[in-house]
Short mmCIF file of all heavy atoms in Angstrom, two decimals:
data_model
loop_
_atom_site.label_atom_id
_atom_site.label_comp_id
_atom_site.label_asym_id
_atom_site.label_seq_id
_atom_site.Cartn_x
_atom_site.Cartn_y
_atom_site.Cartn_z
N MET A 133 -8.69 10.59 14.01
CA MET A 133 -8.64 11.71 14.97
C MET A 133 -10.00 11.88 15.66
O MET A 133 -10.06 12.09 16.87
CB MET A 133 -8.28 13.01 14.24
CG MET A 133 -6.88 13.06 13.68
SD MET A 133 -6.57 14.73 13.03
CE MET A 133 -5.20 14.44 11.94
N LEU A 134 -11.07 11.78 14.89
CA LEU A 134 -12.41 11.95 15.48
C LEU A 134 -12.75 10.79 16.42
O LEU A 134 -13.50 10.96 17.38
CB LEU A 134 -13.46 12.08 14.38
CG LEU A 134 -13.35 13.36 13.55
CD1 LEU A 134 -14.30 13.31 12.35
CD2 LEU A 134 -13.64 14.60 14.40
N ALA A 135 -12.20 9.62 16.12
CA ALA A 135 -12.39 8.48 17.02
C ALA A 135 -11.77 8.78 18.38
O ALA A 135 -12.36 8.52 19.43
CB ALA A 135 -11.77 7.22 16.41
N ILE A 136 -10.57 9.36 18.34
CA ILE A 136 -9.87 9.72 19.59
C ILE A 136 -10.69 10.78 20.34
O ILE A 136 -10.96 10.66 21.54
CB ILE A 136 -8.46 10.27 19.27
CG1 ILE A 136 -7.61 9.19 18.59
CG2 ILE A 136 -7.78 10.79 20.53
CD1 ILE A 136 -6.35 9.72 17.90
N GLU A 137 -11.11 11.81 19.60
CA GLU A 137 -11.89 12.89 20.21
C GLU A 137 -13.18 12.35 20.84
O GLU A 137 -13.53 12.71 21.97
CB GLU A 137 -12.23 13.93 19.12
CG GLU A 137 -13.06 15.08 19.61
CD GLU A 137 -13.45 16.02 18.46
OE1 GLU A 137 -12.53 16.53 17.79
OE2 GLU A 137 -14.65 16.24 18.24
N SER A 138 -13.86 11.48 20.14
CA SER A 138 -15.15 10.96 20.62
C SER A 138 -14.94 10.09 21.86
O SER A 138 -15.71 10.14 22.81
CB SER A 138 -15.85 10.16 19.52
OG SER A 138 -16.08 10.98 18.40
N TYR A 139 -13.89 9.26 21.80
CA TYR A 139 -13.62 8.38 22.95
C TYR A 139 -13.30 9.22 24.19
O TYR A 139 -13.80 8.95 25.29
CB TYR A 139 -12.46 7.43 22.63
CG TYR A 139 -12.46 6.21 23.52
CD1 TYR A 139 -13.01 5.02 23.08
CD2 TYR A 139 -11.95 6.27 24.82
CE1 TYR A 139 -13.06 3.90 23.90
CE2 TYR A 139 -11.98 5.17 25.65
CZ TYR A 139 -12.53 3.98 25.18
OH TYR A 139 -12.57 2.88 26.00
N LEU A 140 -12.50 10.26 23.99
CA LEU A 140 -12.14 11.14 25.10
C LEU A 140 -13.37 11.90 25.62
O LEU A 140 -13.53 12.08 26.83
CB LEU A 140 -11.07 12.15 24.66
CG LEU A 140 -9.65 11.61 24.56
CD1 LEU A 140 -8.75 12.64 23.87
CD2 LEU A 140 -9.10 11.26 25.95
N ALA A 141 -14.24 12.33 24.72
CA ALA A 141 -15.43 13.09 25.12
C ALA A 141 -16.32 12.25 26.04
O ALA A 141 -16.92 12.76 26.98
CB ALA A 141 -16.21 13.53 23.89
N VAL A 142 -16.36 10.95 25.77
CA VAL A 142 -17.26 10.08 26.55
C VAL A 142 -16.57 9.55 27.81
O VAL A 142 -17.14 9.56 28.89
CB VAL A 142 -17.75 8.90 25.67
CG1 VAL A 142 -18.51 7.87 26.51
CG2 VAL A 142 -18.63 9.42 24.54
N HIS A 143 -15.32 9.10 27.67
CA HIS A 143 -14.67 8.40 28.79
C HIS A 143 -13.59 9.22 29.50
O HIS A 143 -13.08 8.80 30.53
CB HIS A 143 -14.06 7.08 28.31
CG HIS A 143 -15.10 6.07 27.88
ND1 HIS A 143 -16.03 5.54 28.75
CD2 HIS A 143 -15.36 5.53 26.67
CE1 HIS A 143 -16.82 4.69 28.09
NE2 HIS A 143 -16.43 4.68 26.83
N GLY A 144 -13.19 10.35 28.92
CA GLY A 144 -12.22 11.22 29.59
C GLY A 144 -10.78 10.75 29.49
O GLY A 144 -9.86 11.50 29.79
N GLU A 145 -10.57 9.52 29.09
CA GLU A 145 -9.21 9.02 28.88
C GLU A 145 -9.22 7.96 27.79
O GLU A 145 -10.28 7.43 27.45
CB GLU A 145 -8.62 8.46 30.18
CG GLU A 145 -9.45 7.32 30.74
CD GLU A 145 -8.79 6.61 31.92
OE1 GLU A 145 -7.68 7.01 32.31
OE2 GLU A 145 -9.38 5.66 32.43
N LEU A 146 -8.04 7.63 27.26
CA LEU A 146 -7.95 6.62 26.21
C LEU A 146 -7.50 5.29 26.80
O LEU A 146 -6.77 5.26 27.80
CB LEU A 146 -6.96 7.06 25.13
CG LEU A 146 -7.34 8.25 24.25
CD1 LEU A 146 -6.28 8.47 23.18
CD2 LEU A 146 -8.71 8.05 23.61
N PRO A 147 -7.94 4.19 26.19
CA PRO A 147 -7.54 2.87 26.70
C PRO A 147 -6.14 2.45 26.27
O PRO A 147 -5.70 1.35 26.58
CB PRO A 147 -8.59 1.94 26.07
CG PRO A 147 -9.01 2.64 24.83
CD PRO A 147 -8.87 4.11 25.06
#
Side-chain angles (χ1 to χ4, degrees):
M133 293 187 200
L134 293 172
I136 298 165
E137 178 184 302
S138 300
Y139 201 98
L140 283 170
V142 172
H143 293 297
E145 59 172 0
L146 292 183

